[in-house]
Amino acid sequence: MTPVSTGAATPLAGVAALGTFEFGTAAIPDERARQLLDDYQELGGRLIDTAPTYGPAGGACRAEPLIGTWLRGSGTTGMRVITKAGLDPARPHQGDLRPEAILASARRSAQRLGRAVVLLLHRDDPAVPVAEIADAADRAVREGTAEQVGASNWTTARLTAWAGHATAARLTAPTVTAPLWSFIPRADPPEEPWLVEADPGHLAMAAQHGMTVVPYRTLAAGYLATRHSGRHTDHHAHTYDTAAGRERRDQLHQTAAALQMTPHGLALAYLRAHRPAPVIPVIGARTRHQLAESMAGAAQAGRITPALAAYLESRP
């Protein structure tokens, strides 16, 4: 199938993006994944977040093919898809951003998904000049495989350099940044140091260059939920379960109870309320109930006044 544009250059929108890392795996088998996609669309969702490396199972990565089949079967044209290029799972700390690798990955993803994608470069490779990366990204848009481009886990400095070069050279500029970001910052030094976490400087850069922020691990791998399965307990212990993290989580849970919100709903609303760059948090629900609760919470960003945000942030 030839990719079809779904409205190039129009800003991303929605209260939350649907994360699909486990789609097609034992955690979220095919039928449940398709049901979640149905539920997400029914609840008003319009942005799917995936990657060629998502859905690892049986030696294959199943998320993109599964989503592509669902998109063709559902007949929807309003659903937009973020996918990624440049990650070598054998080297999670470094991307493969050779221009030919970017374009080949973008073409494969657009073919699998049956439409032009929002193409994010999954990791940076500082050895590749931003001019070469910008040229490849621009070509992906001009040939119709990408409708927009951006970056995931890029430092503020490198993403600023890309945006500046693209503007000066009249190339397609990055319009999306996808950092790691939740109400609780990671421990210092962090686990997985190759992941880039949003900080005030990064968020200011996004606003300056007109980028939408689409953060992942928005619930700190489940640490902020009222209950979690325990499957990330070891990760929590090294990453979020610090004295400061516990204080922030307690503050969140107490405030959510007072507002008659779920803690995870409040955490998502807090991110969406951030200004001035628009924020669309990625959520990784496994059930319709989780999905509905998360989207309902994220939709209440208007309740997060500056005073309430300051109160939530008053713990370390």
Side-chain angles (χ1 to χ4, degrees):
M1 174 181 287
T2 302
V4 177
S5 174
T6 57
T10 57
L12 300 180
V15 299
L18 178 63
T20 63
F21 180 77
E22 296 181 310
F23 276 28
T25 68
I28 304 181
D30 290 15
E31 186 55 39
R32 191 190 307 173
R34 286 189 288 267
Q35 185 61 56
L36 280 171
L37 288 163
D38 286 342
D39 292 340
Y40 178 67
Q41 179 173 245
E42 183 183 320
L43 290 165
R46 292 296 180 267
L47 182 62
I48 298 168
D49 178 82
T50 193
T53 54
Y54 286 7
C61 293
R62 299 173 50 80
E64 274 194 346
L66 192 156
I67 294 164
T69 299
W70 178 83
L71 286 167
R72 285 183 281 270
S74 69
T76 180
T77 57
M79 190 70 71
R80 302 171 75 184
V81 184
I82 291 173
T83 194
K84 306 175 185 80
L87 176 62
D88 179 356
R91 303 181 307 157
H93 59 289
Q94 182 176 335
D96 179 2
L97 296 186
R98 294 169 298 148
E100 61 271 24
I102 293 172
L103 288 165
S105 181
R107 290 164 186 158
R108 288 192 298 267
S109 289
Q111 190 70 25
R112 281 190 289 263
L113 294 161
R115 62 190 59 205
V117 301
V118 179
L119 181 69
L120 305 189
L121 303 185
H122 211 163
R123 295 283 193 277
D124 191 12
D125 182 355
V128 181
V130 291
E132 295 183 16
I133 293 168
D135 285 343
D138 179 71
R139 185 174 171 185
V141 173
R142 286 188 289 108
E143 70 180 22
T145 54
E147 55 157 302
Q148 296 184 47
V149 293
S152 178
N153 293 300
W154 274 44
T155 65
T156 304
R158 276 279 283 185
L159 193 46
T160 299
W162 177 8
H165 174 81
T167 300
R170 297 185 178 181
L171 302 173
T172 305
T175 56
V176 182
T177 178
L180 185 154
W181 187 24
S182 75
F183 179 66
I184 297 182
R186 293 183 296 168
D188 187 20
E191 290 270 295
E192 304 168 301
W194 54 85
L195 302 181
V196 173
E197 189 164 2
D199 61 18
H202 194 88
L203 298 171
M205 176 275 302
Q208 179 184 352
H209 291 282
M211 297 181 194
T212 300
V213 182
V214 186
Y216 66 95
R217 289 196 195 167
T218 50
L219 297 179
Y223 187 69
L224 294 177
T226 309
R227 297 175 300 278
H228 59 82
S229 65
R231 61 196 172 98
H232 295 305
T233 299
D234 288 344
H235 182 67
H236 294 165
H238 294 96
T239 306
Y240 299 108
D241 195 18
T242 64
R246 287 188 292 274
E247 286 198 34
R248 274 214 160 191
R249 185 177 64 172
D250 290 346
Q251 182 93 321
L252 180 79
H253 281 235
Q254 291 165 13
T255 306
L259 294 173
Q260 296 185 315
M261 295 177 67
T262 63
H264 46 289
L266 178 57
L268 294 169
Y270 166 84
L271 296 182
R272 281 199 66 234
H274 189 276
R275 294 291 182 271
V279 178
I280 304 175
V282 177
I283 55 176
R286 287 185 167 192
T287 68
R288 179 186 173 94
H289 181 71
Q290 292 172 349
L291 185 60
E293 278 195 339
S294 293
M295 292 184 71
Q300 296 186 63
R303 298 182 69 184
I304 313 302
T305 63
L308 178 55
Y311 173 73
L312 287 168
E313 295 163 357
S314 64
R315 296 289 177 92

